Amino acid sequence: MEFYEPSSVQLNGITRIDPDEYNPQTFGPAVDRYGFVGEHKQASASKQAVAVDVFRHRELKWVEMFQNWDKWMTKKYPKVKERCRKGIPSSVRGRAWQKLSGSVILMNKHGGLFESLLQSHSEWEKDISKDLSRTFPFHQMFCEPDGPGQRDLFNILKAYAIYDPKTGYCQAMAPVAAVLLMHMTAEVRK
């Protein structure tokens, strides 16, 4: 029986590998299946694997649900809830979160808002920039100074601070936004 494992990824000299096969002389720094850099004992030790055919079957179920989302939410909501509890496959997780939260509707309603917010200046930009390197510094997506992950994180935090000036920005927002970025893009392109 085959098991699903994320493909090997090379980013900034860091290779994502199975923690059981970690050898620092061969692979360099280990990256667990969640993208965090660490020694063998620090990398995710999860042994819970899903058979490839089961994983692909779950993906296809979610893709089918996306195609008829309104029907599923109005007529088959208990099944959607059951599938969420089984776990949303990582390959469709960002899209599922957007559908489940209703953010797709808001994005369609306010198309272009994200880009227009980024054109404005925020009093919080300096504080946000200072905190970028502190947000998941051992995650492959955020470890590169001024890399794509840090740029997207900055843009999201800046846009939100401008969108909600009463709240503005606080350091605790960065990890929340970063976790979302691990599963989806800063702005979904149509």
Side-chain angles (χ1 to χ4, degrees), residues 3-23:
F3 291 96
Y4 170 75
E5 289 292 331
S7 60
S8 176
V9 176
Q10 181 81 22
L11 180 66
N12 299 330
I14 300 167
T15 304
R16 180 182 302 197
I17 58 165
D18 180 347
D20 293 332
E21 297 175 12
Y22 174 64
N23 178 339

Side-chain angles (χ1 to χ4, degrees), residues 26-44:
T26 306
F27 294 110
V31 177
D32 70 10
R33 68 185 182 136
Y34 301 107
F36 288 93
V37 179
E39 295 299 320
H40 178 61
K41 292 181 185 251
Q42 293 175 341
S44 173

Side-chain angles (χ1 to χ4, degrees), residues 9 30 35 52 58 63 73 84 88 91 109 117-118 152 155 165:
V9 176
V52 172
R58 287 182 184 170
V63 169
M73 291 304 287
C84 287
I88 303 170
S91 58
K109 185 178 176 183
L117 291 170
L118 292 179
D152 283 347
N155 288 340

Side-chain angles (χ1 to χ4, degrees), residues 133-164:
S133 63
R134 301 174 188 165
T135 305
F136 297 127
F138 298 109
H139 191 279
Q140 64 183 3
M141 189 171 174
F142 304 106
C143 64
E144 182 184 346
D146 299 319
Q150 285 193 8
R151 279 194 305 272
D152 283 347
L153 183 58
F154 175 84
N155 288 340
I156 288 171
L157 296 170
K158 174 186 170 182
Y160 186 80
I162 295 167
Y163 178 76
D164 183 0

Side-chain angles (χ1 to χ4, degrees), residues 116-126 154 158 161-162:
S116 68
L117 291 170
L118 292 179
Q119 300 305 313
S120 303
H121 176 72
S122 171
E123 64 183 278
W124 298 103
E125 289 183 30
K126 187 175 179 182
F154 175 84
K158 174 186 170 182
I162 295 167

